[in-house]
Amino acid sequence: MPPGTSPRRRGLGPAGGAWAGFGEGGGRPGGERLGLGGAGESRPALGAPGRCLAVRGPAAPSRWARVPLGLGGEAPESVGSASAVSVSRQVQGTGGSSAISKCSAAERGYFEDRFLRLLAGRRRRRAPLVHRGYYIRARAVDHCVQDFLLKTQSYPRTQILSLGAGLDSLYFRLKDMGLLHHTVMYEVDFPNVARQKATLIKTTKELSALVGDTEGERLGVATAFSGEDYKLLGVDLSELSKLSTALKEAGLDNEVPTLFIAEVVLTYLENSRSDALIQWAAEHFSQACFLLYEQMHPEDSFGRVMQQHFSQLNSALHSLSQYPDCEAQQRRFFEKGWTECSVMDMNEFFTCCIPENEQQRVQSLEPFDEYEEWHLKCSHYFVLTASKGMEPSWTPLLSSMTVPHHHGPVRIVGSINALVCEVRSEASGLRRYGHHSALITPNVILTTGGFGEENGQHCRMRNFHVLIKHAGYWKAGCVKKENHDKRWDERLYHTVSCLSSSLALVVGGRTSPNAALGMLWLKFPKTCNDSDPNDITVELVSLQPAAEPFALRWRHSTTEVIFKGEKYLFIYGGRSAVQPVLGDWYFLHTPEISCTVIPVEGPVPEGRHSHSACSWKGGVLIAGGLGAAEQPLGSVFFLREAEHGFQWQTVETHPPLIPRYSHTAHVHDGKLLLVGGVWLHSFSVPGITVIDLITGLCLDYTISVEHLEWPLMLHNHSSVFLPNEKELLLIGGGGNCFSFGTHLNPKPVSLSLRNILTRH
């Protein structure tokens, strides 16, 4: 917003336009989500280096409501089963889904792979979130595999052994690129999966021409297909002795450099069997490398939803109990005989190993607005590389760093108990995310918009809900709309600013990432203090003329400020259908809602969305947010009133605030409270951060969920601070947990902050 010299005002109005179902669940439980696609043709450049943890060296989920979605989940191509036939069939069945998801991502330009469509068979379009998930997986594998081929090109012969390869196309891509001049690739999977793939190769001219069938050569009973540099074996991975024999019969040489690949495979084996396989590879091969891609962090909310998803598929993730994080996986490989081991989560890999121009290409392929789920998914998967006997050492993650790792330790100073807020009436309408909750009067909370559950369906929410505190307890109800002809447009990520107990202004929001919305008045009767929430009505009133362009945004903030004794609404940041990040601002004079130009000086904050904003001393405090590179921000700014306008001022914190976004915030008694959100620390989730605005002291508290029977997801939520009780009321929250289902916090949650606010 360019500074001005005198107030200039003009009238504003709303905009609208609904759009049918983008990426929030498709409107029905269990339904395939819809997404808009992009295009792209360039193959990701091979691995620019990254940052990771590297050194040299020697829970059952509780019950909760969850709706599965048919997204084509993260799955192994296939894997050998530990025991039961039913389990092995379930695990084998995941391979086709994985291949279809990869094929969908390739068709949208995330990576180039013309062989996937030949192997996947049926085709189905996946959601953008799933495309990104499979992109980062494919990118990590290609990065490490091609690094192995590059580092071993001076050897006369090398080998790649893909465990649980299923319908993977890696061999065909490498052969087509001319990278297998002296490398033989072995693939192992269940016998029936291997036979299925062998039939596909034999009957598909484009595939068989690359392999060069030498079926007449006898290489053991387990060999389903044999080519000059390609061997396909049907063996159960859990039967290690049979695997070892079959590989020896197929010509695998334990004296040449060998790369083992396991993409979401070993975790489906019992830990004793997967440990034995890892140790066997280290002991029987003199020059060995291992590439592992799997899930981690089962203990937090996202991890619990993830575990429940795979358990319902009868495909439990065994590794998580014994090896829950990067450090445990690293120790595992050292203990099994590997001398080098590097590991990083997928947020680190994307940030540190993928060049900036490639990141930007991927981020622009499709309309996308599921940043929280993307970062949470990446924080629950890791890529690990291990080696022994390699000269020079094989460290494709360490040697590929392009930017330094920036995560510092999280200093936790205490814990706050989360308790279910008992509501003495049906509160199912509060199961939503991307909504807004506003305190209309000291005892009335209005919740509008978002995505959630309505009449047994997942959809963008049409109804408004209200919480009223009466006689010491909360009652919930559905607000009646007086004028049903006025369209709410079922918006997400909007703001609601209460100008009085009977009037509120809605600014922005969206239906889809292609359809931003404008402004709308909400008028309430004078009876908002009634004890019956079902008696409250609201009138929707459009602003005339049509909305100004600045209102067409979402994930922004609207905050009350005071300039020369008059009230204004300060609209800042967010994103639009055209700009993924906005850094502009506007002042709206109230109550007539006219745009006013007021001079602003000082260092301008970088653009952001999904930040927090709080009124303080007549100005506004801006904290965190997601920046232009889809990286969380850790800056705090205070826009304070100056003599001739406003001035930006940086708020220094110590220790530095951990970058985050999708949180909420409140100010009380000179302290800024940040609630929940998403950060890139894979080993913990944000709780409550208290920033002393006088001293800058920044303290982090965890939120204890031991009294809750369901996962508490504190992103895309809303929160209301009750100053008299020094209590936080958390409403809604959650989102799509990658392909594992949509989780909605089922009930409001109460946090008592009396102890920590009194202590400071």
Side-chain angles (χ1 to χ4, degrees):
M1 174 80 180
T5 57
S6 61
R8 299 194 303 273
R9 300 174 181 172
R10 57 187 188 272
L12 303 174
W19 184 84
F22 178 91
E24 281 101 21
R28 62 192 187 281
E32 181 77 27
R33 293 186 305 166
L34 302 177
L36 295 180
E41 298 178 355
S42 59
R43 178 193 303 271
L46 171 63
R51 156 76 189 172
C52 62
L53 166 72
V55 295
R56 288 179 187 262
S62 59
R63 301 185 304 274
W64 64 86
R66 199 186 64 81
V67 181
L69 296 177
L71 289 175
E74 187 77 46
E77 302 304 336
S78 193
V79 63
S81 170
S83 52
V85 173
S86 61
V87 174
S88 70
R89 286 175 179 170
Q90 290 289 340
V91 173
Q92 292 177 59
T94 63
S97 175
S98 177
I100 292 170
S101 295
K102 288 182 177 179
C103 187
S104 179
E107 289 178 345
R108 296 300 170 277
Y110 284 83
F111 46 80
E112 185 179 329
D113 190 335
R114 63 188 179 92
F115 302 102
L116 278 170
R117 59 181 176 80
L118 304 175
L119 294 165
R122 60 193 179 99
R123 295 153 76 175
R124 179 179 296 174
R125 185 165 181 174
R126 302 301 197 196
L129 178 62
V130 174
H131 289 158
R132 285 198 180 195
Y134 276 92
Y135 164 80
I136 195 68
R137 169 176 170 174
R139 179 77 189 212
V141 171
D142 277 9
H143 171 84
C144 296
V145 169
Q146 293 189 37
D147 186 84
F148 170 80
L149 294 173
L150 178 65
K151 299 293 175 55
T152 58
Q153 60 184 347
S154 61
Y155 288 82
R157 185 185 177 205
T158 59
Q159 302 168 144
I160 297 176
L161 172 54
S162 181
L163 304 169
L167 301 178
D168 187 49
S169 61
L170 179 61
Y171 163 78
F172 299 98
R173 287 188 289 112
L174 295 176
K175 184 65 176 285
D176 190 48
M177 294 166 66
L179 297 178
L180 296 180
H181 296 301
H182 58 96
T183 302
V184 179
M185 185 155 183
Y186 296 78
E187 291 185 349
V188 179
D189 214 309
F190 286 109
N192 59 321
V193 175
R195 287 193 295 269
Q196 175 191 359
K197 189 170 186 178
T199 301
L200 277 172
I201 295 172
K202 293 173 185 176
T203 57
T204 306
K205 183 177 180 181
E206 200 170 348
L207 299 177
S208 59
L210 276 172
V211 178
D213 192 356
T214 59
E215 195 173 28
E217 184 180 349
R218 186 70 176 174
L219 293 174
V221 295
T223 303
F225 189 94
S226 176
E228 180 183 0
D229 52 8
Y230 176 71
K231 318 294 178 184
L232 177 58
L233 284 68
V235 185
D236 190 327
L237 293 180
S238 65
E239 301 180 27
L240 189 53
S241 61
K242 290 184 179 180
L243 174 65
S244 180
T245 300
L247 289 170
K248 185 176 181 180
E249 290 177 349
L252 191 70
D253 188 344
N254 60 5
E255 295 299 326
V256 303
T258 303
L259 171 62
F260 295 82
I261 302 175
E263 287 184 61
V264 199
V265 170
L266 299 188
T267 189
Y268 293 96
L269 299 175
E270 296 290 344
N271 287 334
S272 60
R273 296 179 184 270
S274 59
D275 284 348
L277 195 156
I278 292 170
Q279 186 168 341
W280 167 82
E283 291 177 348
H284 286 76
F285 292 80
S286 59
Q287 301 173 86
C289 302
F290 209 109
L291 167 59
L292 180 67
Y293 176 86
E294 274 186 12
Q295 302 92 342
M296 64 175 176
H297 292 306
E299 72 288 344
D300 62 20
S301 297
F302 188 98
R304 291 169 65 186
V305 173
M306 178 175 69
Q307 283 193 93
Q308 180 75 357
H309 166 79
F310 286 101
S311 294
Q312 289 178 345
L313 294 177
N314 201 20
S315 303
L317 305 176
H318 297 289
S319 295
L320 289 176
S321 59
Q322 193 169 344
Y323 308 109
D325 52 36
C326 290
E327 290 79 3
Q329 287 285 358
Q330 194 175 50
R331 287 194 300 270
R332 175 192 202 183
F333 273 77
F334 286 141
E335 291 169 357
K336 303 307 175 188
W338 299 83
T339 57
E340 296 277 353
C341 187
S342 305
V343 58
M344 61 167 61
D345 69 46
M346 302 316 292
N347 279 319
E348 292 176 290
F349 182 85
F350 187 83
T351 302
C352 304
C353 297
I354 298 180
E356 185 176 342
N357 61 343
E358 171 63 8
Q359 294 180 33
Q360 293 171 351
R361 186 192 71 83
V362 169
Q363 291 165 354
S364 65
L365 284 176
E366 299 183 86
F368 188 79
D369 200 34
E370 296 175 287
Y371 307 102
E372 294 87 353
E373 291 84 355
W374 162 241
H375 285 132
L376 286 169
K377 185 270 178 188
C378 287
S379 70
H380 285 78
Y381 280 78
F382 67 89
V383 57
L384 176 149
T385 60
S387 64
K388 55 149 292 190
M390 298 294 294
E391 290 296 338
S393 297
W394 184 64
T395 55
L397 302 179
L398 277 182
S399 60
S400 302
M401 290 188 298
T402 58
V403 297
H405 178 58
H406 57 272
H407 292 173
V410 180
R411 304 175 182 87
I412 302 298
V413 298
S415 179
I416 302 168
N417 287 327
L419 301 175
V420 173
C421 179
E422 294 301 334
V423 179
R424 296 194 181 182
S425 53
E426 179 56 43
S428 61
L430 299 176
R431 289 167 47 85
R432 59 177 79 192
Y433 67 85
H435 56 288
H436 190 96
S437 297
L439 194 64
I440 302 174
T441 69
N443 65 323
V444 178
I445 300 171
L446 176 72
T447 297
T448 61
F451 184 90
E453 186 177 309
E454 209 168 72
N455 300 322
Q457 297 278 318
H458 274 189
C459 60
R460 292 191 298 272
M461 303 294 279
R462 295 174 289 272
N463 294 328
F464 297 176
H465 283 76
V466 70
L467 283 170
I468 294 183
K469 195 168 190 178
H470 180 73
Y473 61 87
W474 292 95
K475 296 170 66 176
C478 185
V479 177
K480 299 175 183 176
K481 297 178 185 175
E482 286 189 348
N483 45 346
H484 294 282
D485 58 315
K486 296 290 184 182
R487 296 181 62 192
W488 164 246
D489 289 321
E490 304 163 14
R491 63 186 76 199
L492 291 81
Y493 303 117
H494 56 290
T495 61
V496 179
S497 301
C498 292
L499 304 184
S500 70
S501 61
S502 61
L503 186 65
L505 180 69
V506 179
V507 177
R510 69 158 176 90
T511 51
S512 80
N514 282 333
L517 302 172
M519 297 193 293
L520 193 69
W521 282 117
L522 302 181
K523 291 187 176 182
F524 306 96
K526 301 293 185 180
T527 56
C528 274
N529 289 318
D530 286 355
S531 60
D532 188 353
N534 293 309
D535 287 342
I536 293 182
T537 61
V538 62
E539 179 184 0
L540 281 61
V541 180
S542 299
L543 278 74
Q544 296 297 332
E548 293 282 347
F550 74 79
L552 302 176
R553 63 181 68 207
W554 66 93
R555 291 181 177 267
H556 58 289
S557 60
T558 306
T559 318
E560 183 179 278
V561 298
I562 298 175
F563 179 59
K564 294 185 177 180
E566 297 191 42
K567 292 182 179 180
Y568 297 81
L569 292 179
F570 179 71
I571 299 175
Y572 172 72
R575 62 156 302 180
S576 70
V578 178
Q579 295 292 332
V581 173
L582 298 172
D584 58 349
W585 59 82
Y586 296 86
F587 294 92
L588 300 185
H589 190 263
T590 61
E592 78 278 9
I593 308 302
S594 56
C595 191
T596 305
V597 177
I598 300 177
V600 177
E601 301 175 343
V604 177
E606 64 179 288
R608 65 191 69 204
H609 63 72
S610 308
H611 54 281
S612 65
C614 297
S615 297
W616 187 53
K617 292 186 175 181
V620 58
L621 287 161
I622 304 291
L626 201 64
E630 293 189 11
Q631 289 294 304
L633 304 174
S635 53
V636 180
F637 286 89
F638 178 40
L639 182 72
R640 65 177 182 85
E641 185 180 5
E643 183 178 357
H644 300 292
F646 285 89
Q647 183 173 23
W648 286 111
Q649 177 179 312
T650 302
V651 178
E652 300 292 343
T653 63
H654 58 89
L657 176 67
I658 298 171
R660 72 195 69 198
Y661 70 102
S662 197
H663 55 287
T664 55
H666 308 274
V667 174
H668 178 73
D669 195 22
K671 297 176 181 63
L672 177 62
L673 312 175
L674 305 183
V675 185
V678 173
W679 60 29
L680 300 191
H681 285 269
S682 62
F683 45 82
S684 65
V685 295
I688 303 290
T689 299
V690 180
I691 300 174
D692 190 311
L693 295 171
I694 306 302
T695 66
L697 181 63
C698 182
L699 300 175
D700 286 293
Y701 295 82
T702 60
I703 295 177
S704 172
V705 296
E706 61 178 327
H707 300 295
L708 303 182
E709 296 183 354
W710 32 268
L712 177 65
M713 288 193 171
L714 281 186
H715 60 275
N716 289 327
H717 63 287
S718 63
S719 63
V720 174
F721 182 68
L722 306 173
N724 293 335
E725 298 89 340
K726 291 185 172 57
E727 176 187 0
L728 264 177
L729 198 62
L730 310 178
I731 299 172
N736 297 313
C737 302
F738 188 51
S739 54
F740 311 136
T742 296
H743 175 78
L744 305 170
N745 293 332
K747 296 181 179 181
V749 169
S750 172
L751 302 178
S752 176
L753 304 184
R754 188 173 298 277
N755 288 340
I756 65 172
L757 292 177
T758 303
R759 184 182 311 160
H760 300 295

